[in-house]
Amino acid sequence: MSFDLYDIVWPSGKCTVPLQKLAKRLDTLEGKVVAELWSWTFKGDIMFNAFEAELSRLYPGIQFISWREFGEIHGANEREVLDALPEKLKRFGVDAAITGVGGGASGVAADVRCSILVENLGIPTVTVVTDSFLSPGKSTAKGLGMPNLPFTSHPGHSLLAADEQVYKNAAGIMTGEVVQGLTAQPAEINDNIKEPEMRDIIFSGTFEEVNRYFYTHEFSDGLPIVPPTIEKVEEFLKFTDRSAAEVVGVVQPDMREATLWNIAVNGVMSGCRPEYMPVLVSIIEAMLIPEFAQEHLGHSPGMEDLIIINGKIIKDLDFNYTQGVFRPGPQSNTSIGRFWRMYLHNVATFVLHKADKSTFGDGFRNILAENEDFAASVGWEPMSTDWGCKPGDNLITLTSFTEKTQAIQVGAPTAEGVLENIEKRMADNNLFIEHFFRGVRTRPVVILPPNVVRILADAGYTRAKVKQHFYENARVKLSRLGTAALTRFYEGIDAGNWPEQIGSTKDLDRYVQMVSDPDAFQIVVSGDNGRDHVLIGAQNGVIGPPVCKKIELPANWDALLSEAKKI
């Protein structure tokens, strides 16, 4: 047991949203106009039918504005739908709103954001969730400054209940909760807890005591952390020319500041080396690009996002890009992967059983460095050139990587046979095609090991030609898709989405393409040169579309790195 004492600092960030007051509740629902705001999921149409019938029985003069008038509040055009809400609510003379249905973590976050927007217009709301998503709903509401936002919850998940039971549940206890939420003013919550400043010491103790403190206060991932002392943090800050106090953005759901300081603190805790700091900063900056939709990272599919590394930095920091690229072991791959989840936990506050609602979850095997040397040896440019970068530029690509399928033994006598074997496994994966049906440009990742790339390159296939082959030949038969995907397919046909790729009829006895264009595929060269296995990862639609960020090195990088490698 260690008896050295460590003075440790806080790993989180300043909350940026003050407490907000809910809209004034109504005296009665009689004669009032109620808007239905729906995320088009989890049998909300059935619930709204039940609410309409039961509330009309209780309040004969009540009127409803259908969800059809407002658009999908959680989809590809979510921002546009929310931007249009104030004008539409005013035009329809809306007095109250029912929002939902939160049956997934990203959906409940979107529903809560919508409800708070409406509350700030002076219109009371009730947010509909399934019961296991009440906790993340409340966590999101708290982070957005309305911890007393009213909810009603469906008992159990609505997708696992018969339509008749969903209707009965909504018409029963849920209708009562809707009435309560719209007519009874919730008690105000005053949360004026003073949070630590940047360099404040929050605890002093031995290594074991520090780890126990962080674990009990939900500031660790369950593994031992490196105590984040001021001295350790300052070692990291030497590897950036920027101020420790610089705010690089605000992370959701708790709306906390992301700073150079708390990036360094979480890097220390995760076992990173100080020279990894430029990569850590770029990862967080990429995450904060609005298109990435960071606010949904507590989503229920729960697979870890993929962080792809390109450039000279791969060798500078000794990233593994050959056999076992996702195995723990190499310090840069392993500790930076751990940092990603640590930061989401401590600063974004995606805490398990709260805002993090992953069904199964994943570890921190999410760093993928490209084998640029091999790619160059067969005439392929690195993936970073897809972003307009030059080979050798240091770059982070961040993308969701949700449904993973390993295409084992894709070897064949011809390159075309190899590609066909990969495409068959794409059909098995489905590439999260339900998002594609919704009109979203999905971006699957395909990781090709050197052995496979050599076969393709020898046959004249460039990276672009491989993408074209995947686009034309990766197809799935509609009749083998499950209920959720087929529901989205029918909706997509009705909406006229991607007619060139999926057609215009609802006939299921046919094959359809799985992406919108050849460049939708993200191809990375990495992995074991001794095998013919390929890894395919579906990209989660509106959640985590690929974004990139150049890695910014300090002016004296070479000297700093040389000195660091002596330790």
Side-chain angles (χ1 to χ4, degrees):
M1 179 178 290
S2 169
F3 293 99
D4 293 333
L5 296 181
Y6 299 90
D7 297 329
I8 58 171
V9 295
W10 195 45
S12 196
K14 179 182 178 181
C15 187
T16 61
V17 177
L19 287 175
Q20 304 176 70
K21 289 191 175 182
L22 292 172
K24 186 178 184 301
R25 288 7 235 177
L26 303 174
D27 295 330
T28 179
L29 296 182
E30 179 59 39
K32 303 303 181 183
V33 178
V34 178
E36 300 168 344
L37 305 175
W38 187 30
S39 48
W40 295 14
T41 51
F42 307 121
K43 302 188 179 182
D45 49 345
I46 296 172
M47 295 185 197
F48 282 122
N49 287 342
F51 293 147
E52 287 187 21
E54 189 62 16
L55 289 172
S56 294
R57 184 184 68 79
L58 296 171
Y59 306 98
I62 196 171
Q63 299 178 57
F64 295 91
I65 308 299
S66 168
W67 49 268
R68 297 172 183 85
E69 299 287 349
F70 299 101
E72 184 180 3
I73 64 172
H74 178 44
N77 61 339
E78 174 182 327
R79 288 181 173 86
E80 291 85 350
V81 170
L82 295 186
D83 287 344
L85 263 186
E87 186 277 328
K88 287 187 176 182
L89 295 172
K90 182 178 180 180
R91 173 157 43 95
F92 288 119
V94 169
D95 300 300
I98 305 171
T99 306
V101 173
S106 65
V108 74
D111 295 336
V112 168
R113 285 195 302 275
C114 180
S115 290
I116 288 178
L117 183 155
V118 176
E119 292 278 350
N120 282 326
L121 296 173
I123 299 172
T125 68
V126 170
T127 305
V128 183
V129 298
T130 59
D131 55 8
S132 66
F133 288 90
L134 183 59
S135 176
K138 289 184 174 181
S139 294
T140 301
K142 177 178 178 292
L144 294 173
M146 286 191 180
N148 52 351
L149 188 74
F151 289 85
T152 180
S153 58
H154 182 277
H157 203 288
S158 53
L159 292 184
L160 297 175
D163 292 354
E164 296 78 8
Q165 186 61 49
V166 172
Y167 187 98
K168 181 178 179 181
N169 292 337
I173 187 172
M174 293 176 70
T175 293
E177 291 173 342
V178 168
V179 172
Q180 175 78 7
L182 296 178
T183 61
Q185 196 72 29
E188 290 189 13
I189 297 175
N190 294 310
D191 186 4
N192 296 317
I193 298 173
K194 187 179 185 303
E195 295 181 329
E197 297 294 332
M198 191 169 72
R199 293 176 179 270
D200 286 353
I201 303 302
I202 63 168
F203 185 78
S204 296
T206 64
F207 179 85
E208 290 77 12
E209 289 168 340
V210 165
N211 270 277
R212 174 50 54 180
Y213 177 88
F214 269 52
Y215 182 76
T216 57
H217 287 79
E218 295 187 326
F219 283 130
S220 87
D221 56 9
L223 294 173
I225 54 98
V226 177
T229 63
I230 290 176
E231 294 75 20
K232 283 278 189 185
V233 174
E234 287 177 339
E235 285 296 314
F236 278 62
L237 295 170
K238 291 177 183 177
F239 285 85
T240 176
D241 294 330
R242 297 155 68 176
S243 166
E246 180 185 338
V247 177
V248 299
V250 175
V251 289
Q252 299 186 45
D254 229 28
M255 303 302 289
R256 294 187 176 275
E257 290 179 346
T259 64
L260 274 289
W261 176 266
N262 61 33
I263 290 171
V265 172
N266 284 275
V268 171
M269 293 174 61
S270 303
C272 296
R273 290 176 60 86
E275 60 265 33
Y276 301 168
M277 183 66 176
V279 176
L280 307 184
V281 174
S282 294
I283 289 171
I284 301 307
E285 289 181 324
M287 178 188 77
L288 288 167
I289 295 171
E291 290 74 18
F292 185 69
Q294 171 270 324
E295 61 270 22
H296 298 306
L297 293 181
H299 60 113
S300 55
M303 296 299 102
E304 208 56 271
D305 299 283
L306 187 64
I307 300 167
I308 304 168
I309 313 289
N310 280 106
K312 182 176 176 290
I313 200 79
I314 292 172
K315 291 184 178 178
D316 282 350
L317 300 183
D318 300 319
F319 283 98
N320 178 26
Y321 52 85
T322 59
Q323 187 265 320
V325 288
F326 289 126
R327 280 278 193 237
Q331 187 174 3
S332 50
N333 299 63
T334 306
S335 63
I336 294 174
R338 185 186 185 193
F339 162 82
W340 168 253
R341 179 51 51 185
M342 188 80 75
Y343 200 85
L344 291 178
H345 183 281
N346 288 342
V347 185
T349 64
F350 283 115
V351 177
L352 198 61
H353 309 307
K354 295 180 180 177
D356 179 0
K357 277 294 291 181
S358 57
T359 302
F360 302 109
D362 205 346
F364 36 83
R365 301 171 297 129
N366 59 337
I367 302 297
L368 180 67
E370 186 158 32
N371 191 336
E372 295 186 340
D373 288 347
F374 182 85
S377 75
V378 295
W380 280 29
E381 292 185 329
M383 181 189 151
S384 54
T385 59
D386 289 354
W387 296 104
C389 294
K390 300 188 299 292
D393 284 351
N394 295 320
L395 189 78
I396 293 291
T397 299
L398 178 60
T399 182
S400 55
F401 192 56
T402 306
E403 289 191 76
K404 302 172 190 173
T405 298
Q406 188 167 187
I408 296 176
Q409 297 182 174
V410 300
T414 66
E416 288 72 20
V418 170
L419 293 171
E420 181 181 339
N421 288 337
I422 296 170
E423 289 153 0
K424 287 177 178 177
R425 291 295 278 149
M426 287 181 184
D428 293 337
N429 179 286
N430 289 348
L431 304 186
F432 227 149
I433 199 168
E434 63 185 79
H435 286 289
F436 181 56
F437 292 151
R438 295 170 74 180
V440 179
R441 183 178 184 248
T442 51
R443 302 286 312 279
V445 178
V446 185
I447 306 172
L448 302 176
N451 258 0
V452 170
V453 173
R454 184 179 299 282
I455 293 171
L456 300 177
D458 286 348
Y461 279 94
T462 62
R463 187 188 294 264
K465 288 182 178 179
V466 170
K467 290 181 180 183
Q468 185 69 34
H469 200 285
F470 287 160
Y471 168 67
E472 293 175 358
N473 298 286
R475 296 170 178 261
V476 64
K477 192 168 186 180
L478 290 167
S479 59
R480 68 187 297 271
L481 297 177
T483 303
L486 284 178
T487 299
R488 292 299 191 186
F489 167 70
Y490 296 136
E491 292 171 352
I493 292 295
D494 289 340
N497 296 335
W498 311 118
E500 181 182 336
Q501 291 81 10
I502 69 172
S504 56
T505 74
K506 295 182 180 180
D507 172 26
L508 300 184
D509 189 25
R510 60 190 180 90
Y511 290 83
V512 297
Q513 289 175 273
M514 304 175 72
V515 298
S516 59
D517 59 278
D519 285 331
F521 287 101
Q522 304 178 79
I523 295 179
V524 189
V525 181
S526 195
D528 187 5
N529 190 34
R531 280 278 11 196
D532 57 343
H533 305 327
V534 168
L535 190 61
I536 301 161
Q539 186 269 313
N540 195 0
V542 296
I543 303 173
V547 293
C548 74
K549 191 72 180 178
K550 283 194 173 182
I551 300 170
E552 180 182 323
L553 301 178
N556 57 341
W557 168 253
D558 290 336
L560 285 169
L561 184 62
S562 177
E563 193 63 29
K565 289 197 171 185
K566 296 176 183 177
I567 301 173

